[in-house]
Amino acid sequence: MRKLALEDDILLKVEKPARYIGGEIGSVMKDPTRVRTRFAMCFPDVYEIGMSHLGIQILYAMLNSREDIWCERVYSPWTDLDAVMRERHIPLFALESQDPVRRFDFLGITIQYEMCYTNILQILDLSGIPLHAEERSWDDPIVIGGGPCTYNPEPLAPFFDLFYIGEGETQMLRLIDIYQECRAQGVSREEFLLRASSVPGLYVPSLYKTTYHEDGTIASFRPVVPGVPERVRKEIETDLDHTWYPEHPIVPFIKVTQDRVVLEIQRGCIRGCRFCQAGMIYRPVRERSLSFNEDMARQMLDSTGQEEISLSSLSSSDYSNLSPLLENLIEECDRRHVNISLPSLRIDSFSLDVMKRVQDVRKSSLTFAPEAGTQRMRDVINKGLTEEDILHGASEAFRGGWNRVKLYFMIGLPGETKEDVQGIAELSEKVCETYYDAVPRENRHGKIQLTASSSFFVPKPFTPFQWAKMLPEQEYLRRARFLKDTFRAQKCGRSMHYQYHEADVTVLEGVLARGDRRTAAVVESAYRKGCLFDSWSDCFDRERWQAAFEENGVDPEFYTLRDRSEDEIFPWDFIDIGVTRKFLRREWNRAMQGVVTPNCRQACSGCGAAVFGCGICRTHGEKGGQAG
Amino acid sequence: MKIRVKFAKTGNMRFIGHLDILRYFQKAFQRAKLPLRFTEGFHPHPVLSFASPLGVGLTSEGEYFDTELVENMDCAEIRERLNAQMSEGMSVLAVIRLVDTEKKRNNNAMALVGQAEYQVRLRKAFSHQADWEETVHQFLMQEKIPVLRCTKRNTEEVNIRPLIYEMRAEPEPDTFFLRISAGSAANLRPETVLDALLHFTQSQQFPGEGDAETEKAENGNAGTENAAEQTGSAMDRAGKYEICRLDILTAEGIPLGEAGKEDQ
Ligand code: SF4
Ligand code: SF4
């Protein structure tokens, strides 16, 4: 029997002990004496969320495919266990071996959202690893970060030895080879990091220095050691058919957020919505072949016995083989009594037909993400979804028996007017009216139930809106309350439910998203004051964060409310995502003029991602390569 | 084909709750490519009916559930194929074919439960180094063993003596064997018996003095109850005792693995 790191009395006192015991079907056990390199892969949030993340499962499969590497998992201990571990000085451990993380060679942390930054410090702290990279020795693992937030890693720069910018499939194993070589040669940790800095996609923050202008903006950002690359280009897997995929995903004992196998049918998105970071950083869109997807679906269902499969992609409707893939999957899943879940499908007659076959219409709801309430604003953000599309889709759906609708919007987009905010309620109202027009009284299954949610827009690095300024918290709330009133005043006001996200979290997210190295001190202070699980609204503590900003003399408004000039150096400018700054600026200007840009399937706009020579850019031939 | 599966849940699997065990077995059948019968409707699901849910923190050498396959298969093969899909700590001990419940309605696992056998060991801090053989003997000699049972509205005294069918100290230190009432009619929890035993021991050692701590424990734990999920006091329970359910039996004392077999 595997010996657990925690005693029974602890495990039976904390919520969901299964979070901490490992041993799930699909988890990999190896003999620690027979592996050379031990890798702890961490998702810095609670088990149920971390286990739902596909990226980790891909890397877990890839690393464990090498006999000399053992990759294990680490998640954030929930606050109940956190308290016990501190009190009893129990070091954080990996789930498989239950061995302390500090003994590992690598601690890889995937950084998926800004609100997990304090959790990262918790992971280091509980492991007994110095928070600051400069204080670490060979007794500590190499701490490496990956994931979307590494497209601006600067607010975390002091805490990481390395950042891996881009998709892990390409260079991780090479990095480990270099590590093994360095250990065998007995070179210093610094020497290893220096060698690592020459691996494509790898960024060693300690080898770079930032200087600032008097007004606080960045004057320069340069390597401090000769030979270290000035810019770091993101890594991408150019052939998604010949690469690692978790054929035996781990099957958790307890219910997790994504309690199903996940089939990533493609990576990237053709659409180029101007607020969307994923749409830019994962360019160009690369599809997996029909046969790869079908084989993988079958294999994963066989190996897990899961009752549900979910197609994963930023925009599934754009997958060119969607129709044959779904035909085949529906048949396969029917036979196995497996459910199919289809997030991110655009509502049209094809998707409605498919949804009818895989869901209980009466129990499911339709989802639209118009993001903005008026056509003017949808043009600004380049969201190619018109009112007609929405009402037409809704009308068809209502006739097909649906009567629940969810709509997603953003408030605080650049140049937003009162009309744009009002437009959200008005568009929702039109959706409600469509129900009563489309479905004769005798065919209605009760009233329409419409839920509209809005989040506050946060400008992200590497989007055309990276120049945008945010609004003060009070202004966000004022607009949201105004919208709430507008909803109430609508004819169908009683059938509509409107909810908005917290504004204080949004402002903090805005600071960290575009923060620089000076914000790192704030994250550390906040953590020391007890901030943890900031993405959980009942854990978020705005007073502590405020105090952390004050303590470090950092003004959050510098990051959120300031106008950024066209040529300001951004903390993330040293990263090359293929998409050029010139293209992003062009898109910003077009946004200000309300001009839409075609998606990658309609035409190539020469964003720069063609340098990777793969995916959709190739269908545009030379043109894709030249423009930029 | 209706079958009853007898399985053991040991080691670290004690931290997995009843509902998760149910989902675990659904998936194991799928992986083993054993064709479970699914319900009709939009959300078809297989029906696995468990004899008696086991609380978090307890291990077991004899758990049961009934289910149905759409094909006739060899029981030994079913067992083998399931065992190939088990995680550490779980094993399928037996698969038996049941007579068609249409004809014999009351032989489903849950309805049959009447008794259960347990092995309970006191954890170190609670060990009393008593002469357990003699103490248990005297404990059972009592006409009444009253325990307090707390319901939402009031606290009442219940005599658990008639619900204890067999009890003895085992050769291993601080270890006991229990065969006690279980099931919907009168479900007695093993820790209730042990709490009462410890209380009895103390009152013997210090006659006339009630031990505050034991009494408190009693209030928290004591009582017979019919609740399906007995996971409420996992902490209290596991803090004091290591409990392993050895088997589940019918009211007549026949292990469920023997009851309801096709040839009966
Ligand atoms: S459709 Fe728009 S918002 Fe959605 S992923 Fe693509 S670019 Fe982003
Ligand atoms: S280069 Fe052209 S086709 Fe390729 S991602 Fe950019 S815009 Fe799309």
Side-chain angles (χ1 to χ4, degrees):
Chain A
M1 186 173 98
R2 281 161 58 251
K3 171 116 181 59
L4 299 181
L6 301 172
E7 302 287 337
D8 276 28
D9 66 322
I10 300 175
L11 281 168
L12 290 163
K13 196 159 59 185
V14 299
E15 207 183 291
K16 303 193 188 169
R19 286 169 172 167
Y20 311 110
I21 65 172
E24 308 94 325
I25 298 286
S27 60
V28 175
M29 289 302 293
K30 294 190 180 184
D31 177 353
T33 61
R34 304 189 62 172
V35 295
R36 241 177 112 185
T37 304
R38 296 187 61 182
F39 201 113
M41 187 70 81
C42 170
F43 191 110
D45 208 319
V46 74
Y47 176 89
E48 295 93 305
I49 292 185
M51 268 310 291
S52 304
H53 184 246
L54 175 68
I56 285 195
Q57 298 241 19
I58 293 178
L59 296 180
Y60 187 82
M62 178 182 91
L63 294 174
N64 280 322
S65 75
R66 275 250 310 246
E67 248 173 54
D68 59 339
I69 303 172
W70 187 8
C71 175
E72 306 180 39
R73 294 159 298 148
V74 179
Y75 301 105
S76 307
W78 186 242
T79 49
D80 53 357
L81 179 60
D82 176 274
V84 177
M85 292 176 80
R86 282 170 206 272
E87 190 192 309
R88 303 204 198 169
H89 304 287
I90 300 170
L92 185 64
F93 52 91
L95 293 188
E96 282 77 356
S97 64
Q98 300 272 311
D99 285 339
V101 169
R102 182 147 189 256
R103 281 207 235 135
F104 281 64
D105 297 285
F106 282 91
L107 169 59
I109 302 179
T110 179
I111 317 167
Q112 296 287 319
Y113 30 86
E114 290 80 7
M115 291 302 111
C116 76
Y117 289 3
T118 54
N119 282 40
I120 293 174
L121 299 187
Q122 177 212 28
I123 295 281
L124 295 172
D125 203 9
L126 289 179
S127 300
I129 300 169
L131 298 192
H132 288 256
E134 63 194 21
E135 289 160 27
R136 292 179 199 141
S137 71
W138 272 138
D139 291 338
D140 301 296
I142 299 291
V143 181
I144 177 169
C149 288
T150 59
Y151 287 89
N152 176 21
E154 293 303 273
L156 295 171
F159 314 124
F160 282 83
D161 297 302
L162 287 168
F163 288 101
Y164 186 115
I165 317 275
E167 297 167 4
E169 287 101 331
T170 53
Q171 302 291 344
M172 265 324 258
L173 291 175
R174 179 159 162 212
L175 175 69
I176 292 178
D177 287 339
I178 293 176
Y179 173 84
Q180 291 179 340
E181 193 182 286
C182 284
R183 295 315 302 263
Q185 294 170 357
V187 303
S188 69
R189 211 169 181 269
E190 290 67 34
E191 172 62 21
F192 161 68
L193 291 175
L194 188 64
R195 291 188 200 176
S197 73
S198 65
V199 177
L202 283 172
Y203 165 52
V204 182
S206 59
L207 299 178
Y208 296 78
K209 193 170 160 48
T210 316
T211 61
Y212 301 91
H213 291 298
E214 218 149 275
D215 66 1
T217 58
I218 294 176
S220 71
F221 177 91
R222 273 193 212 99
V224 287
V225 177
V228 172
E230 303 255 338
R231 302 195 74 199
V232 179
R233 176 176 286 175
K234 77 168 181 196
E235 273 298 300
I236 66 168
E237 177 61 76
T238 53
D239 180 356
L240 285 173
D241 275 348
H242 299 94
T243 181
W244 284 271
Y245 203 80
E247 292 161 35
H248 303 268
I250 296 169
V251 189
F253 289 124
I254 54 174
K255 265 212 162 108
V256 298
T257 316
Q258 278 268 11
D259 199 25
R260 48 190 77 94
V261 292
V262 178
L263 182 65
E264 185 196 43
I265 58 176
Q266 60 183 350
R267 220 173 261 178
C269 179
I270 58 171
R271 306 234 147 225
C273 303
R274 290 176 181 135
F275 56 85
C276 176
Q277 189 188 38
M280 293 296 159
I281 60 179
Y282 299 129
R283 279 186 176 212
V285 71
R286 289 144 290 152
E287 299 193 342
R288 296 192 199 264
S289 69
L290 189 58
S291 63
F292 180 96
N293 284 328
E294 287 171 353
D295 284 354
M296 210 43 78
R298 226 171 285 127
Q299 284 189 40
M300 288 192 297
L301 290 173
D302 280 347
S303 69
T304 61
Q306 287 278 25
E307 293 101 49
E308 188 165 325
I309 182 167
S310 163
L311 299 195
S312 153
S313 125
L314 291 169
S315 166
S316 303
S317 295
D318 295 327
Y319 179 64
S320 15
N321 282 313
L322 188 65
S323 170
L325 176 65
L326 285 176
E327 273 314 315
N328 186 304
L329 264 189
I330 290 175
E331 196 184 303
E332 178 84 32
C333 292
D334 259 2
R335 200 165 48 237
R336 295 172 183 256
H337 301 286
V338 164
N339 297 321
I340 305 179
S341 93
L342 301 165
S344 79
L345 270 194
R346 246 192 331 280
I347 306 295
D348 54 24
S349 41
F350 168 73
S351 63
L352 287 171
D353 176 58
V354 170
M355 281 157 63
K356 256 193 185 153
R357 291 163 64 191
V358 305
Q359 318 171 331
D360 186 347
V361 170
R362 301 280 300 279
K363 287 198 185 115
S364 60
S365 54
L366 296 170
T367 304
F368 294 95
E371 307 292 0
T374 57
Q375 193 56 47
R376 184 197 81 82
M377 188 47 97
R378 283 191 296 273
D379 289 346
V380 168
I381 64 177
N382 205 38
K383 186 95 219 172
L385 189 64
T386 64
E387 184 170 304
E388 208 195 323
D389 294 337
I390 296 167
L391 297 183
H392 185 75
S395 161
E396 265 193 61
F398 294 148
R399 264 182 242 130
W402 274 274
N403 65 347
R404 287 190 221 182
V405 187
K406 285 190 200 151
L407 295 171
Y408 290 98
F409 296 98
M410 276 188 285
I411 297 186
L413 287 160
E416 181 177 73
T417 63
K418 198 173 166 190
E419 287 69 45
D420 295 321
V421 179
Q422 258 167 347
I424 293 175
E426 286 159 8
L427 177 61
S428 306
E429 168 72 17
K430 283 183 195 155
V431 172
C432 283
E433 284 168 7
T434 304
Y435 177 70
Y436 295 105
D437 291 346
V439 190
R441 188 175 296 269
E442 58 277 15
N443 294 352
R444 286 178 206 155
H445 306 287
K447 281 201 319 191
I448 177 172
Q449 296 170 38
L450 183 144
T451 308
S453 315
S454 74
S455 56
F456 299 109
F457 165 65
V458 177
K460 293 279 164 105
F462 293 113
T463 64
F465 288 170
Q466 62 180 354
W467 285 274
K469 62 177 175 187
M470 294 178 69
L471 299 169
E473 189 184 325
Q474 284 315 313
E475 179 58 20
Y476 284 127
L477 291 174
R478 201 186 63 76
R479 291 188 189 186
R481 289 191 196 115
F482 165 70
L483 179 53
K484 187 141 200 138
D485 292 340
T486 316
F487 263 101
R488 279 210 201 97
Q490 303 298 314
K491 258 204 342 255
C492 297
R494 294 164 140 258
S495 306
M496 301 195 286
H497 177 71
Y498 166 64
Q499 58 197 27
Y500 54 90
H501 288 200
E502 296 89 353
D504 45 7
V505 181
T506 303
V507 170
L508 178 58
E509 194 185 323
V511 173
L512 297 178
R514 291 188 294 175
D516 51 38
R517 287 192 179 192
R518 292 168 299 185
T519 51
V522 180
V523 176
E524 187 174 342
S525 296
Y527 169 71
R528 300 248 187 242
K529 291 178 189 307
C531 291
L532 203 59
F533 289 105
D534 297 307
S535 62
W536 298 68
S537 53
D538 37 342
C539 294
F540 181 72
D541 188 332
R542 59 174 296 159
E543 270 82 43
R544 285 183 183 159
W545 272 101
Q546 240 158 24
F549 275 105
E550 278 158 27
E551 196 175 292
N552 291 284
V554 173
D555 176 10
E557 296 187 354
F558 173 79
Y559 299 95
T560 54
L561 299 185
R562 186 169 53 85
D563 266 317
R564 286 161 165 81
S565 71
E566 179 175 347
D567 50 7
E568 176 175 332
I569 299 176
F570 294 139
W572 54 91
D573 274 348
F574 71 96
I575 295 173
D576 171 9
I577 64 161
V579 176
T580 59
R581 187 168 160 134
K582 208 167 114 204
F583 171 78
L584 294 175
R585 188 65 194 185
R586 194 160 78 217
E587 282 294 288
W588 166 260
N589 291 334
R590 288 167 76 96
M592 294 305 109
Q593 295 152 13
V595 183
V596 298
T597 296
N599 69 48
C600 293
R601 185 145 296 137
Q602 294 164 327
C604 170
S605 305
C607 75
V611 292
F612 296 107
C614 63
I616 189 130
C617 311
R618 287 177 51 186
T619 62
H620 296 288
E622 285 301 294
K623 188 170 164 265
Q626 279 167 8
Chain B
M1 168 190 188
K2 299 199 170 164
I3 55 171
R4 176 163 301 153
V5 175
K6 179 181 187 187
F7 66 97
K9 178 190 175 194
T10 61
N12 299 336
M13 291 302 289
R14 69 189 179 282
F15 298 110
I16 311 299
H18 168 64
L19 288 176
D20 293 323
I21 291 294
L22 188 139
R23 296 177 337 110
Y24 169 89
F25 269 108
Q26 287 180 9
K27 292 183 173 112
F29 272 87
Q30 295 291 331
R31 289 195 298 272
K33 296 213 177 295
L34 293 168
L36 283 174
R37 177 173 301 288
F38 276 69
T39 57
E40 305 287 320
F42 226 103
H43 291 289
H45 56 91
V47 180
L48 273 61
S49 35
F50 281 70
S52 166
L54 189 69
V56 171
L58 276 67
T59 57
S60 176
E61 298 286 347
E63 291 300 291
Y64 297 90
F65 65 86
D66 293 351
T67 191
E68 190 176 350
L69 300 181
V70 294
E71 270 169 40
N72 283 338
M73 294 179 72
D74 176 43
C75 287
E77 189 191 335
I78 298 174
R79 187 187 131 183
E80 230 164 79
R81 275 160 67 172
L82 280 176
N83 271 331
Q85 300 301 334
M86 291 295 109
S87 47
E88 191 189 348
M90 293 293 279
S91 60
V92 173
L93 303 173
V95 174
I96 57 170
R97 190 181 175 136
L98 295 178
V99 284
D100 199 326
T101 43
E102 294 301 318
K103 284 176 246 152
K104 220 179 155 192
R105 289 201 116 223
N106 286 333
N107 75 350
N108 76 69
M110 191 185 282
L112 285 173
V113 178
Q115 308 180 3
E117 294 176 346
Y118 295 91
Q119 188 185 62
V120 184
R121 189 159 66 225
L122 303 185
R123 290 196 191 265
K124 278 212 185 69
F126 293 90
S127 134
H128 287 245
Q129 273 101 35
D131 173 2
W132 286 125
E133 219 180 291
E134 179 55 24
T135 314
V136 168
H137 179 69
Q138 285 177 16
F139 175 67
L140 293 178
M141 289 292 281
Q142 301 177 96
E143 221 161 89
K144 277 176 99 181
I145 304 180
V147 298
L148 291 177
R149 159 172 147 172
C150 303
T151 59
K152 272 200 187 108
R153 256 170 253 124
N154 59 342
T155 310
E156 53 177 2
E157 212 181 80
V158 185
N159 175 20
I160 61 166
R161 180 62 191 89
L163 306 180
I164 305 173
Y165 303 128
E166 200 180 338
M167 181 171 183
R168 61 171 186 265
E170 296 282 39
E172 299 86 20
D174 299 323
T175 306
F176 304 88
F177 170 85
L178 296 180
R179 185 161 57 82
I180 55 181
S181 176
S184 55
N187 198 45
L188 180 60
R189 291 156 64 153
E191 62 271 26
T192 306
V193 181
L194 266 291
D195 281 348
L197 176 73
L198 293 187
H199 186 60
F200 174 76
T201 319
Q202 245 147 27
S203 66
Q204 293 242 305
Q205 283 169 352
F206 312 98
E209 269 177 61
D211 181 81
E213 209 183 307
T214 320
E215 230 145 67
K216 225 171 72 207
E218 217 177 4
N219 283 333
N221 276 336
T224 59
E225 56 173 83
N226 302 324
E229 272 258 50
Q230 301 189 341
T231 54
S233 59
M235 182 51 208
D236 291 354
R237 187 160 59 212
K240 288 154 83 176
Y241 314 119
E242 247 179 75
I243 304 174
C244 176
R245 178 142 74 184
L246 299 172
D247 209 345
I248 304 175
L249 321 154
T250 65
E252 295 76 35
I254 306 165
L256 289 199
E258 305 293 321
K261 258 193 190 172
E262 198 173 39
D263 55 4
Q264 280 194 340

